[in-house]
Each structure stands twice: as structure tokens, then as C-alpha cells.
Amino acid sequence: MRIKSYKCSRFAGLKDMNVEFSQGLNVILGDNESGKSTIINGIHSTLFKNIKLRKSYNADINFISKFMPKPKGDSIDGKVIIETGEGQHEIYKEWGSKESIKFTNSDGSIYKNEKDINSELLKLLNYGEGTYTNIVFAKQEDLKRALDNIIGNSEVTDEIGDLLRKTIMELEGVSIDKLQKDIEKEVESLYKRWDIDKNYPQNNKGVNNPYKTGKGIILESYYKKENLLLDMEETQRTEKEFEDICEKIKELEEKIGPLKEKRISLEKVEEDVNKRLVLEAEIYALKKEAEELAKINGDWPRAKLLLEQYEEKIEKTREEKESLNKEKKNIEKEKTRKNLEKKLKEVKEKDEEFEKLTEELSKLPKLNDDNIKELSDLQTEILTLETTMKASKMIGMLTRENKKDIYVCKDFGQREKLEIDVPFEANGVINISEKDGFEVKIKTGDIDYEDLNNKYNTSKESYEKLLKELEVETIEDAKLCLERIERLERAIESLTDQRAYILGDTRRVELEERIKELEDIKASRSEGEIEELLNKNRDEELDILTKENNEKEKIKLWEEKYTDSNNLLLNLVEKKGNLNSKEEELENLKALPQEFETAEEFKKGLSLIKERLTTNQEELERMQPIFYQTQNEMSDTTYEEVKKEYIEAQNEFNANIKRGEKFLEIQRVFLQTKEELSNNPMESLVDEFARLLELITDGDYKQGDIDEEFNIKLQNKNGQIPIDLLSAGTYDSVSLALRFALLKHIFPDKGGYLVLDDCLVDLDPVRKEQSVRLINEFAKDYQIIFTTCDPQTAKMLGGNRIEL
């Protein structure tokens, strides 16, 4: 583990500082007040100083006074990168007006909660702030104070472990046996009859079944706390019940008063409202009857007039229907004519096509299947003869030049002159001759080529003669022509059938005469329009007949009920008289309250008020005994008073638990330490201290020792001397040796680091050289950060130099 770098934008006098450290020895060289110590303080603060600064806390007041920039600036920050075998770990902090903290672990995980970050740093650094402050970062002149702090600081004591436990036990001359008895007595007084593992009374004897005697402090405080908790819950319950009852009684009383007043005011007009209810019903019935009579009186003459109008409309619709039906028949005739015209057109088209095909057929040669067979037989014979003659093929060539012309006649053909070195062919006979000289006749084997040739010529002449007679050029033409003749004959036959199908039993002349009879028939509208008008006409007629029937039924009903319109009018006058009388009687009654529109609403409203009043009064009577009973059950102590006592008891119990845990830990450490008293916890530290001291003092001081009270004992050639009588240089040598011994003790696996603050100033040249050698030796296994203002010291040390 080493510090890789330290950065800050502002920390005390440092501004935009970026310092990189190497693995071994790092020497920070700079004048006094150049910022060497500030860098060390910045690293220490970034690692251990909380970002929340309290102005009432002396350490924070000193921190602000020492490191916050003045007169301008209200924030400082720092970032430290620590490198381990796992990778780099980065911690950043900002103090002041803007508080910020962030820790990035080597695996990339990020923490921003300070408590979690401190936990991660403790895992990384292995020790807490006390160890690092008093050993790793301590100044040379403060070593003695640091040693005192080690003894007095519990954190450091715990971390160093076996190194100092026995020393703590024997401080101030305390007897171990007496201390053991006191601890056991205190543990017994605290945990008597308390189950430590369950953190509960032994044998599960809780507050409902408590121990009567022999109770320890923790058990007593537990029973007290739990009893107060039960009291608090019971007091809260009874107070809540009483409050609920009081609130309910108050709500009921607030409801009953207004309901009583409302009931009394409504009952004063209740009699007149009942009369109003009867009169309103009678008036409503009279109005309905009068309205019905008035309506019939007006509708009766109108109904008679409508009957006359409906008769006229029915007559008109029937005339319109007759006209439409006539037009519909004309449309059917026109449709018939169009169908006949279409049929005549099809017949004409078939006749025209028949004439065209007949004419085309008349122009073709007269061929039949026998003609084709005869041509085919002749063609086969010709091909057979040609094949036979070509089978005896002969080839010749004149190869010698002669002054006389040589002629050849091939296969009875014309004689022709032979050319030198030009081959010639013949199928059966070759005649070679001179113009007026010899003649040589050559023919193939036993074939009578002449007879074959005669047969061939005869067949060929017959074949060509027949083609000419049939008016075709080739047998293929003859076959095509025959196919065309047959196709035309089939088409003519099909047309004849189609024409007969179209005409049926009618002749074309009859069809033309029928069309002529219908040619003057024309319709102005389509069949769909006529059909639509007929449907509409039927609907209108049905509607008129329905309305006419309705009017007849109404008149019939009125006549049965009122005889005639005059008698109906007399009934209407009588009804209106009764209505006026009832309305005058209604006006003399007391008016309805404004919140009701009708007497019916009034009756319902009064009934509802009486019902609510009765319900609330009964509920109030039921609540009275409950009220007095709950009031008597209430405690003299309020819930808040009991709650305060419970909180105090709970705090007392928690304090006793913590006190007990501390004494158990003290007892555990005491017993462990007592068991280890026979061993010497300083042995390894003493050996290393002695080795380093002899090396650093060049053999002047030997047999260095540290007693169990952490007193340092030295011996030179003159005998043993106390450390406080040493010279400054000797003291520095002793302190340096002790710090390296402690470093090796707390970082036994190497890899830690140590800050040295110019600890070689007071050493003589020999001891200084020995100390430099010692520092460089430790720098091989540990990171050393050394601050100095002396260039010569920096040169002697070497390592990674950082100049300010």
C-alpha cells in the first residue's frame, strides 16, 4: 500500500497543488513556510477529517483557523489516491460552504455516504486515525507525546492489541486481583437473572410473570420500562376512548337542537299542508280532465275536416298508381323490344359470319384424306429410291493433266468438263469421255441403277402432277389446307346451330315484324324509378288509410262518451267551475316553507327530521352511562406524563445494557490479558528496536529495552541512562529507531508508509549517515515521505525529490 498522489485546488496556502509520490523514498524539499507540512496535513485531513465542521468543537475551530484560506475563500479540498495490489483507491473531500465527499474503490464502486466511506477506509488502511496520527504522521519532536497517546488512546490500544494490554491493566498501580473481583461484582449486579444471549429475562419471565426478588440492575430497569409501556398504552387507550365519547356526545347534542327547532316550526303548518296535499291532488285531476276536454273540443271539428282531406288524398294516390302501372307495362314492352332487337342483331351477325366462312371455304382447293394419303405414299417411295441410290455413292478425281478435255456424266445427268484435282461424286453411274475420243461407263455393283432412276423419275412426276392438280406446292401445304377446310366446315356447322338456338321456332322475318310492331313504345323513366314510385305510392296510401281509420275511431269514441260536441262543451264549463273553486280554497291555506316545492316534499321532509331526531336522542341516552363509566376508569396520570416516564425508563434500560456490554468486554479483555501475562508482549518490538538503535548510533547504545509501562531504557558503555537525559541528537536517534520498530510492528507484511518531518537536523555526521542508510533500507519495503528544508540532507537521502 502506498500514497500515489495528493491534489488540492485550495488548502491553507496551497493552491492548485498536484504531488506525485513513488513507491520507495520521497523527499519533499522546500524552504520554511513553503508548504511541506501543509501537504502532510492535507493528506492526513483528506484521509481522516470529517467534512462536517462544528463551530462549537475546538478541534474543528482550530482546523478552520489553520487551513481555511484568509481573507478570501470559504472552502478547501483534497484528493488522495492510494495504490494497493488490488488497484487504485481515490478519496476526495471538500470542507466549508460546500461540503462534499466521494470514495472510488479499485473495483469502480463509488461511495458518497461518509459513514460508509470511513468503513471502507478502515478496511483499506487496516488502522484508524489514532494509529496513523500518533505513529505514521507524528512529528519527531512529538514522539514522546505520541507514546503517551498510545497508552491513553483506546483506539490505538485496541489496534496494537497484545502490545499494550498488560500495560493498561497495571496503570496507576491497580491490583489485578482486586480489579477482577470488582469487574465480576459489577457484571453480577447488572446481569442477575438476565439472559445475555436472548437479551431477555431468564426462563422467559417477562413483565406478565416477573421475578419478585434477586433482580439485577438490567432486569429491574427492564421491568420498570415494560410496566410503564403497559401503563402508557392503557392510559392512551382510556384517554382516546373518553375523548371519542365526549366528541360523539358533543356531535349528538349539536345535531339534536336544530332538529327540535325545525320539527316545531314545521308542525305549525302541518295541518294546512295536509289540506293542501288533498286540494293539490283534486286540482291536478280537474286540470287534467279540463285539458283533455278542451283538447277534444278543438280536435273534434279538425278530425271531421281531416276525414274529408284523407278521402281526396286516397283518390289521388289511386289515380297515380294506375298511371304508374301503365308506364310499368310500357317499360316491359320496351324491354321486350330491346331483347328482340338484341336477338335479331345476333342472328344478323351469325348470318354475316356464315356467308364470310362459306365464301372463304369456296376459295380453297378441294382436298380430302385420300389425296393426302396418296401424296404421302408417293413421297415415301421417292425418299426410299433416293436412299437406295445414295447408298452406292462413288467418288472420283482427275489427277493428270491432258491436253484433251475430259467430260463426265453423273447419274444420267448432263455432261460436264472435269477439272484437275477436283473430286466429283455420283450415286450409281459415271460416264467419262473425251469430246471425240473414248468413253468409259462405270456403275456400282449389282444394283440396276437405271431401273431405279426410271422408277424415281416416274414417282417424282406423279407426285408433282398430283400437287399441281390439288393446287398446292408441298404435301405440308396440302395438310395445312385440309386442316383449314375442316376448321371452316366445323365453324359453319357451329354457326348454323347457334342461329337455330337463337331463333328457336321463330323465323327471322317474323322477328323483324314483331320488332316493327313495338318500335313506337318508349318509357320516360327506368323500371327502378317506376318501382320506387309505386312503393312510395303504396306507402302513402297505407299511411292515409291508417290516419283515416284513427280519426274515425276517435270520433266514434267521442260520440260514445259525449254524444256530440255541444254536450262535451257543457262538461268542460262544469269542470272549469269546480277547478276555480278548489284553487280559491288552496290560496287561503298557509304557505309552504321555502325549502319545499310541494306538500309531498314537506311530508317527506318532516318525517325525515322526526326520524333523525329520535335516532340521535336514543344514541345520546345510550352514550350517557358509557361516558360516566369511562370517566371513572381513567387514571389520575395523563398519557404524556406516563410517556415521559417511559422514555426515561427506556433510556435508563438502554444505558444499563450498554454499561453491561462494556463490562462484559472489559471482563473478556481482562481475562485474556491475565492469561497472557506470562508472555512478554514487547519481545519482538524490543529486539527490532535494539537492532535499529545499535545501527543508527554506530554501536554507542546497545541493549535498548521498553518496560511494561512503555518506559524506554538505554545502555551505553557507561551504563543504563533514562531517555529524558539524552542529548537532542541521541534522542532523535532513539526516536527514529523506535518509530521504525513500531512501523515494522504494525505493518508486519510490509507495504505501509511513514512520514518523517526533518528528523536528521540534530544528528552528528556519523549518526546522520547511519540514519540515512536506515531510511533507505526501510524504503525498500515501505513508502517513506521525508520533509526537509536542507538541500544537503535531500541530496544524501536521494529517492524521488519533490521541490516546492
Side-chain angles (χ1 to χ4, degrees):
M1 177 181 62
R2 72 179 182 95
I3 297 175
K4 186 176 185 298
S5 66
Y6 166 72
K7 294 181 182 180
C8 71
S9 57
R10 191 67 186 267
F11 189 86
L14 301 179
K15 187 176 182 182
D16 298 326
M17 178 61 68
N18 185 2
V19 183
E20 297 285 338
F21 298 101
S22 64
Q23 173 61 43
L25 176 59
N26 297 268
V27 179
I28 302 177
L29 175 63
D31 297 335
N32 290 330
E33 306 300 326
S34 63
K36 301 186 299 298
S37 297
T38 307
I39 291 174
I40 302 304
N41 286 323
I43 294 172
H44 183 273
S45 299
T46 304
L47 292 176
F48 301 110
K49 187 65 180 176
N50 289 337
I51 58 171
K52 184 71 175 178
L53 300 177
R54 296 159 292 180
K55 294 184 178 180
S56 61
Y57 190 50
N58 289 333
D60 290 347
I61 294 172
N62 294 334
F63 181 80
I64 294 170
S65 174
K66 191 173 181 180
F67 300 117
M68 197 66 72
K70 298 178 181 179
K72 296 182 179 180
D74 59 0
S75 66
I76 54 177
D77 64 358
K79 180 168 74 173
V80 173
I81 296 178
I82 297 174
E83 189 172 67
T84 66
E86 298 173 352
Q88 293 186 1
H89 312 260
E90 181 181 300
I91 174 70
Y92 171 82
K93 290 182 181 179
E94 182 175 355
W95 302 268
S97 61
K98 181 183 178 183
E99 297 168 351
S100 177
I101 186 170
K102 178 181 178 183
F103 177 75
T104 304
N105 219 331
S106 60
D107 60 2
S109 56
I110 296 175
Y111 300 84
K112 293 187 178 182
N113 179 275
E114 189 166 27
K115 185 178 179 181
D116 295 338
I117 289 174
N118 289 336
S119 176
E120 290 297 315
L121 279 174
L122 185 60
K123 294 177 188 176
L124 177 66
L125 301 175
N126 295 322
Y127 302 100
E129 178 185 0
T131 300
Y132 277 87
T133 301
N134 296 323
I135 296 176
V136 176
F137 284 87
K139 293 184 178 179
Q140 191 71 2
E141 62 268 21
D142 295 334
L143 183 60
K144 181 63 175 177
R145 179 174 53 80
L147 297 177
D148 294 339
N149 287 339
I150 290 171
I151 296 172
N153 188 313
S154 63
E155 177 193 343
V156 180
T157 301
D158 289 344
E159 290 167 353
I160 294 177
D162 294 341
L163 180 65
L164 299 173
R165 281 179 184 158
K166 181 181 175 183
T167 304
I168 293 172
M169 297 300 302
E170 295 294 340
L171 281 177
E172 301 295 335
V174 176
S175 168
I176 293 177
D177 293 336
K178 183 178 182 302
L179 182 58
Q180 182 175 357
K181 289 180 181 179
D182 290 342
I183 292 172
E184 290 173 351
K185 182 179 179 181
E186 186 65 26
V187 170
E188 172 67 15
S189 67
L190 284 166
Y191 284 103
K192 192 172 183 181
R193 290 192 169 176
W194 183 260
D195 192 325
I196 297 174
D197 295 331
K198 294 181 179 179
N199 198 31
Y200 196 73
Q202 290 178 353
N203 301 316
N204 292 323
K205 292 178 76 65
V207 69
N208 295 321
N209 182 27
Y211 285 106
K212 302 298 181 181
T213 59
K215 294 174 283 188
I217 294 172
I218 291 177
L219 184 59
E220 283 280 7
S221 62
Y222 173 79
Y223 283 157
K224 180 181 178 182
K225 170 180 74 75
E226 291 299 305
N227 282 320
L228 284 170
L229 178 60
L230 294 175
D231 292 344
M232 182 177 67
E233 292 173 350
E234 179 63 19
T235 303
Q236 186 181 35
R237 183 189 65 78
T238 55
E239 286 185 0
K240 181 66 169 60
E241 286 181 1
F242 186 71
E243 288 175 2
D244 292 344
I245 291 168
C246 291
E247 184 65 26
K248 185 67 175 177
I249 289 173
K250 182 180 177 182
E251 289 177 359
L252 290 171
E253 289 175 345
E254 289 176 350
K255 290 178 180 178
I256 288 171
L259 286 172
K260 280 183 178 180
E261 294 177 3
K262 190 66 176 176
R263 184 197 65 185
I264 292 170
S265 66
L266 293 180
E267 285 176 344
K268 292 177 181 180
V269 297
E270 184 177 11
E271 185 179 353
D272 278 17
V273 169
N274 290 333
K275 292 179 180 179
R276 178 181 293 276
L277 190 62
V278 175
L279 287 171
E280 284 179 347
E282 292 175 346
I283 289 170
Y284 177 78
L286 287 170
K287 281 184 177 181
K288 292 292 289 183
E289 292 175 1
E291 288 173 1
E292 184 180 356
L293 290 172
K295 185 176 184 303
I296 295 172
N297 187 52
D299 290 345
W300 204 322
R302 281 196 297 271
K304 291 181 177 180
L305 180 62
L306 284 172
L307 285 176
E308 296 175 2
Q309 293 174 352
Y310 290 153
E311 287 293 336
E312 295 176 0
K313 288 182 179 180
I314 288 170
E315 183 64 27
K316 185 177 180 181
T317 55
R318 287 173 178 169
E319 290 175 358
E320 183 180 353
K321 179 169 65 175
E322 186 178 351
S323 174
L324 288 171
N325 284 327
K326 183 178 180 181
E327 190 170 354
K328 183 178 180 181
K329 289 180 180 179
N330 287 338
I331 289 173
E332 291 174 354
K333 289 180 180 180
E334 183 180 25
K335 190 188 294 184
T336 301
R337 189 194 74 234
K338 287 180 179 179
N339 287 334
L340 293 174
E341 287 175 346
K342 181 181 179 183
K343 186 181 291 187
L344 179 61
K345 181 182 177 183
E346 290 177 355
V347 171
K348 287 181 178 180
E349 288 173 353
K350 301 299 179 185
D351 288 345
E352 289 174 0
E353 190 173 354
F354 180 85
E355 291 175 2
K356 182 179 177 181
L357 292 175
T358 303
E359 182 180 358
E360 185 180 351
L361 181 62
S362 65
K363 293 178 181 180
L364 293 175
K366 302 298 184 287
L367 285 171
N368 54 42
D369 291 337
D370 293 337
N371 299 139
I372 299 300
K373 185 176 185 310
E374 186 178 356
L375 283 171
S376 180
D377 291 344
L378 287 172
Q379 187 183 49
T380 301
E381 186 176 357
I382 292 168
L383 291 173
T384 301
L385 291 170
E386 282 182 348
T387 301
T388 303
M389 289 189 293
K390 287 179 180 179
S392 56
K393 186 175 182 181
M394 294 181 294
I395 302 173
M397 185 172 66
L398 183 63
T399 60
R400 183 178 178 182
E401 185 176 359
N402 196 313
K403 293 181 180 179
K404 295 181 180 180
D405 293 331
I406 303 299
Y407 297 92
V408 65
C409 178
K410 298 176 289 185
D411 298 329
F412 309 107
Q414 297 294 322
R415 194 172 68 164
E416 57 186 46
K417 185 179 178 181
L418 277 175
E419 301 292 335
I420 301 298
D421 294 329
V422 176
F424 60 88
E425 295 179 0
N427 291 321
V429 179
I430 299 175
N431 285 333
I432 301 172
S433 62
E434 289 183 346
K435 187 175 182 182
D436 298 320
F438 73 90
E439 179 179 352
V440 179
K441 185 175 183 180
I442 303 170
K443 65 176 182 177
T444 58
D446 56 354
I447 296 174
D448 190 349
Y449 187 79
E450 186 174 355
D451 182 54
L452 287 173
N453 190 52
N454 290 334
K455 289 180 180 179
Y456 171 78
N457 289 333
T458 301
S459 297
K460 191 171 184 181
E461 286 174 2
S462 299
Y463 178 74
E464 290 175 353
K465 180 180 178 184
L466 183 56
L467 287 174
K468 186 175 182 180
E469 290 174 356
L470 296 174
E471 298 178 356
V472 294
E473 295 181 1
T474 64
I475 187 173
E476 285 75 17
D477 291 341
K479 290 178 179 179
L480 291 172
C481 185
L482 180 61
E483 288 177 1
R484 189 175 179 189
I485 290 169
E486 290 174 348
R487 186 170 63 253
L488 288 171
E489 288 175 345
R490 287 194 299 272
I492 290 169
E493 184 180 356
S494 176
L495 284 172
T496 303
D497 293 340
Q498 291 175 23
R499 185 178 185 276
Y501 176 77
I502 294 168
L503 287 172
D505 297 333
T506 308
R507 293 182 297 116
R508 176 174 172 175
V509 175
E510 294 173 347
L511 190 62
E512 290 172 344
E513 289 175 353
R514 179 65 177 147
I515 290 171
K516 190 173 182 181
E517 291 174 1
L518 298 172
E519 64 183 357
D520 294 332
I521 304 289
K522 289 185 179 180
S524 59
R525 286 177 285 200
S526 67
E527 185 178 7
E529 290 174 331
I530 296 299
E531 194 62 43
E532 185 178 352
L533 290 171
L534 281 170
N535 290 333
K536 186 178 179 182
N537 178 272
R538 281 193 295 271
D539 293 340
E540 287 179 358
E541 184 178 6
L542 180 62
D543 183 59
I544 294 167
L545 288 171
T546 302
K547 290 178 179 179
E548 181 185 37
N549 187 58
N550 289 338
E551 295 303 321
K552 286 180 179 180
E553 288 295 325
K554 284 196 290 185
I555 292 173
K556 181 181 178 182
L557 183 64
W558 294 337
E559 288 175 345
E560 290 175 354
K561 193 172 183 180
Y562 305 111
T563 308
D564 55 30
S565 57
N566 291 329
N567 193 35
L568 182 142
L569 185 58
L570 291 174
N571 282 333
L572 177 59
V573 171
E574 183 182 354
K575 295 291 182 186
K576 285 191 173 183
N578 291 335
L579 180 61
N580 291 334
S581 175
K582 296 292 183 181
E583 287 177 343
E584 288 177 3
E585 187 178 350
L586 183 64
E587 288 178 0
N588 293 326
L589 296 175
K590 292 178 182 179
L592 277 171
Q594 291 182 353
E595 65 266 33
F596 303 109
E597 292 185 1
T598 65
E600 188 65 32
E601 287 184 10
F602 174 89
K603 295 289 288 182
K604 289 180 180 179
L606 179 58
S607 175
L608 183 61
I609 288 170
K610 288 179 179 179
E611 182 181 342
R612 288 176 179 173
L613 181 60
T614 301
T615 301
N616 288 322
Q617 286 173 335
E618 290 174 352
E619 180 67 12
L620 182 61
E621 290 175 3
R622 189 184 67 81
M623 294 296 294
Q624 291 298 333
I626 300 174
F627 169 81
Y628 292 116
Q629 181 183 351
T630 307
Q631 189 178 44
N632 292 331
E633 291 175 355
M634 288 183 62
S635 172
D636 295 335
T637 308
T638 65
Y639 168 76
E640 292 298 328
E641 291 171 341
V642 179
K643 182 180 179 181
K644 183 178 179 181
E645 291 181 22
Y646 169 75
I647 292 172
E648 292 174 355
Q650 188 177 40
N651 292 336
E652 180 184 353
F653 171 75
N654 292 337
N656 289 332
I657 288 291
K658 288 181 180 178
R659 186 162 177 247
E661 290 172 350
K662 288 180 180 178
F663 268 93
L664 285 175
E665 179 64 16
I666 289 170
Q667 187 181 47
R668 184 189 67 78
V669 174
F670 175 85
L671 294 175
Q672 182 180 351
T673 304
K674 184 179 179 182
E675 185 180 347
E676 296 172 354
L677 281 177
S678 59
N679 300 324
N680 182 6
M682 300 296 176
E683 186 175 351
S684 62
L685 180 61
V686 169
D687 292 343
E688 181 65 13
F689 173 62
R691 184 185 73 81
L692 296 176
L693 181 63
E694 184 177 358
L695 174 67
I696 207 169
T697 62
D698 197 24
D700 288 346
Y701 289 89
K702 298 180 180 180
Q703 299 177 4
D705 196 7
I706 304 174
D707 64 17
E708 292 179 353
E709 293 183 359
F710 217 83
N711 294 315
I712 298 173
K713 299 176 182 180
L714 300 177
Q715 183 173 333
N716 63 7
K717 58 186 178 181
N718 297 320
Q720 184 172 304
I721 58 173
I723 194 169
D724 53 356
L725 296 180
L726 296 176
S727 65
T730 302
Y731 182 85
D732 284 343
S733 298
V734 173
S735 299
L736 185 60
L738 182 57
R739 289 192 71 185
F740 277 128
L742 289 170
L743 178 66
K744 196 168 184 178
H745 186 81
I746 64 175
F747 295 116
D749 297 328
K750 305 177 183 180
Y753 59 92
L754 183 68
V755 178
L756 299 175
D757 184 17
D758 213 353
C759 59
L760 308 180
V761 175
D762 295 326
L763 298 183
D764 59 48
V766 175
R767 290 182 179 177
K768 189 172 186 177
E769 183 178 347
Q770 294 296 334
S771 297
V772 168
R773 187 186 307 163
L774 179 62
I775 291 170
N776 277 282
E777 178 186 337
F778 267 80
K780 295 176 182 178
D781 298 325
Y782 302 93
Q783 184 184 43
I784 308 296
I785 300 175
F786 192 101
T787 65
T788 182
C789 59
D790 181 15
Q792 184 62 32
T793 300
K795 184 176 180 181
M796 287 181 66
L797 288 167
N800 175 40
R801 183 180 298 184
I802 302 167
E803 297 187 9
L804 302 180

